[in-house]
Amino acid sequence: MFKKLTNASVALVQKYLPDAFIFAILLTILTFILSFITTGQSIMELIQHWGTGVWSLLLFTMQMVLVLVLGTALANAPAVKTLLKSISKVAKTPGQAIMLVSFVSAVACWLNWGFGLIVGALLAKELAKNVKGVDYRLLIAAAYSGFVVWHGGISGSIPLTIATDAAGLAVISEGTINEVIPVSKTIFSPLNLIVSWVIILTLPFLNRAMHPDRDNVIEIDPSLLADDEEEAIAKEEIETPAQKLENSKFLSCFIIVVAVVFLVKHFIEKGFSLDLNIVNLIFLTLGLYYHKTPIRYVRAIEEAVKGAGGIVLQFPFYAGIMGLMTGANADGVSLASVITNLFLRISNETTFPLFTFWSAGLVNIFVPSGGGQWAVQGPVMMPAAIPLGVDPAKAAMAIAWGDAWTNMIQPFWALPALGLAGLSAKDIMGYCLIVLLYTGVIISLGFLLL
């Protein structure tokens, strides 16, 4: 029965899901129509909202690109690749391969979403080389499925934002919250840790159960997965002063020492306080350390930037969609407020976090960005939480989890992993739909019962 459900899901997605960029354009059209119907604004007013929104996330876009690029560069360091090869040898059967990549990618995504996406895809490719009879599509889907926990992890943009920006939080909450919410109440709260690790520990079993029967397995020729460059770094002839500088470990060490001193000072003064900039600095430092010389890190970054093309192209479109979602009429009514208020009308202290999570999942399909999601729902949900007696930290995490949850059927964030794997979104999203249904139950129960 479960295999029939999985096969039907895969067939459905293969037939109807377009390329991720086409998906963004179709969502833009749908948002125009829904905004026109629900807010009564003119076409020109909606176009103005779209045009104003298109470039509204440039700062956040750069932060997200850096999270991806720095995480990718670290994942491609020779030492990390060697570690992944060693890990891949643990799996001997297709089921073990699926479980291994599911667990490793989920843990890595919890630590850093960009790092996790790439590590998962790289490990999946190694497993495809070493394990016969494993379905390549499911391997990559399993690698991506760990992304569902990213916003509950230490690189989650919403919990990191509210842990550092008191002024912004006051604006978002309409003055009801005037102090930062520390990560001890969000990322490291019992609710978040339980939900995160229940998913991380059970997801491998779910993905293994989806493995096709032998007759339906799609393997890939291991020769197609060979690296373009030698794993061992060939010794370069260093002749000119410029080449000596490029290969100077001292220059890398200088930056590493400066960065480490800054990070130590930061954590001593502010405790375990993380934001996007600190997370990126940590991965920049680790990347320099593992690539050893400046020129090797330059090459790793140049290679990693290629995977960010989809983000650079599509983020303005989703920012435009966000502009449409939040663009209000003369009475202050926007499409985002209509969707959110539908859930608010049936909420009480117990159900508020659950309905916030569900509404965030719906909004995320239109705005697949933690920062965009926060800008859309934060101003509605955070002020509403206080009168109902709901902990603001819990309300914020409900938005964060909703943002992460429906990424399983939103192909935007799968682009880097798909680029590495040489697949399209439709190859994996059928499996991810099953992950969406399963994790939706786990997260919902968490917000309802914990």
Side-chain angles (χ1 to χ4, degrees):
M1 183 66 180
F2 183 71
K3 285 287 179 68
K4 288 183 179 179
L5 176 63
T6 301
N7 292 337
S9 174
V10 171
L12 179 70
V13 170
Q14 282 277 350
K15 188 173 183 179
Y16 292 107
L17 183 69
D19 178 83
F21 182 50
I22 306 303
F23 187 69
I25 295 175
L26 292 176
L27 277 180
T28 302
I29 296 171
L30 177 60
T31 310
F32 262 108
I33 295 171
L34 292 177
S35 295
F36 179 77
I37 293 172
T38 58
T39 68
Q41 298 179 81
S42 69
I43 296 298
M44 287 308 300
E45 287 176 314
L46 294 176
I47 290 174
Q48 181 63 40
H49 292 318
W50 180 84
T52 302
V54 163
W55 307 119
S56 63
L57 292 178
L58 287 180
L59 174 60
F60 184 72
T61 299
M62 186 59 184
Q63 288 177 315
M64 292 294 101
V65 167
L66 282 173
V67 170
L68 176 60
V69 170
L70 297 177
T72 303
L74 177 58
N76 280 314
V80 177
K81 281 189 173 182
T82 299
L83 176 62
L84 291 175
K85 283 190 174 184
S86 299
I87 293 173
S88 70
K89 294 177 182 177
V90 173
K92 306 299 182 184
T93 67
Q96 291 175 358
I98 297 299
M99 292 188 71
L100 180 62
V101 74
S102 300
F103 179 75
V104 170
S105 66
V107 171
C109 282
W110 193 86
L111 294 173
N112 177 273
W113 69 266
F115 182 64
L117 278 178
I118 305 307
V119 162
L122 291 174
L123 178 57
K125 289 176 67 175
E126 291 298 329
L127 288 165
K129 295 176 189 176
N130 298 331
V131 180
K132 292 184 178 180
V134 65
D135 190 276
Y136 186 57
R137 301 166 304 167
L138 181 56
L139 263 179
I140 301 302
Y144 179 63
S145 67
F147 190 58
V148 75
V149 303
W150 86 273
H151 228 143
I154 61 176
S155 65
S157 57
I158 290 176
L160 293 182
T161 297
I162 64 177
T164 54
D165 186 6
L169 184 55
V171 172
I172 284 284
S173 66
E174 297 181 353
T176 57
I177 307 169
N178 295 301
E179 296 181 352
V180 296
I181 301 175
V183 293
S184 60
K185 292 184 177 182
T186 54
I187 296 172
F188 297 105
S189 67
L191 163 64
N192 189 66
L193 290 175
I194 290 171
V195 170
S196 295
W197 287 93
V198 165
I199 292 174
I200 290 171
L201 294 175
T202 59
L203 195 56
F205 295 94
L206 176 75
N207 287 334
R208 184 183 67 174
M210 287 193 285
H211 197 273
D213 297 327
R214 183 173 298 180
D215 293 340
N216 296 317
V217 166
I218 295 181
E219 295 186 72
I220 189 168
D221 184 350
S223 64
L224 298 177
L225 300 176
D227 290 332
D228 294 332
E229 54 183 327
E230 294 293 327
E231 290 292 275
I233 299 175
K235 289 186 177 180
E236 304 175 43
E237 290 189 13
I238 302 173
E239 298 176 347
T240 67
Q243 289 175 322
K244 290 180 180 180
L245 285 173
E246 290 172 346
N247 288 277
S248 170
K249 293 182 180 180
F250 169 78
L251 295 180
S252 291
C253 287
F254 176 80
I255 300 300
I256 291 168
V257 169
V258 171
V260 168
V261 170
F262 173 83
L263 289 169
V264 170
K265 181 176 180 291
H266 170 83
F267 290 124
I268 289 175
E269 293 178 350
K270 300 184 179 180
F272 194 64
S273 174
L274 290 169
D275 58 26
L276 288 174
N277 293 330
I278 293 297
V279 169
N280 279 334
L281 182 58
I282 290 171
F283 277 81
L284 171 65
T285 306
L286 290 173
L288 277 169
Y289 175 79
Y290 282 112
H291 282 282
K292 301 186 185 303
T293 68
I295 194 62
R296 290 177 188 170
Y297 194 54
V298 166
R299 291 167 184 162
I301 292 293
E302 288 174 346
E303 186 65 27
V305 166
K306 297 176 183 178
I311 297 176
V312 173
L313 172 62
Q314 295 182 42
F315 243 73
F317 285 85
Y318 284 108
I321 291 171
M322 188 180 79
L324 287 169
M325 291 284 292
T326 58
N329 62 18
D331 297 322
V333 178
S334 67
L335 176 57
S337 67
V338 169
I339 293 173
T340 303
N341 285 326
L342 284 175
F343 287 90
L344 282 176
R345 290 192 191 105
I346 55 175
S347 297
N348 55 38
E349 181 181 358
T350 302
T351 61
F352 180 85
L354 175 65
F355 290 142
T356 298
F357 163 65
W358 287 353
S359 65
L362 178 59
V363 171
N364 178 64
I365 295 175
F366 298 89
V367 189
S369 149
Q373 184 90 20
W374 182 241
V376 167
Q377 284 201 285
V380 179
M381 292 304 192
M382 297 305 284
I386 304 301
L388 287 174
V390 177
D391 184 350
K394 192 172 185 179
M397 288 310 294
I399 298 173
W401 272 104
D403 173 73
W405 176 45
T406 47
N407 282 329
M408 291 299 99
I409 55 170
Q410 219 308 350
F412 180 65
W413 292 112
L415 294 175
L418 292 170
L420 276 173
L423 296 178
S424 66
K426 65 179 66 177
D427 292 318
I428 71 167
M429 286 295 162
Y431 297 112
C432 292
L433 178 58
I434 302 300
V435 174
L436 173 92
L437 298 174
Y438 170 73
T439 56
V441 172
I442 300 298
I443 301 166
S444 296
L445 289 174
F447 281 113
L448 191 61
L449 301 177
L450 295 178

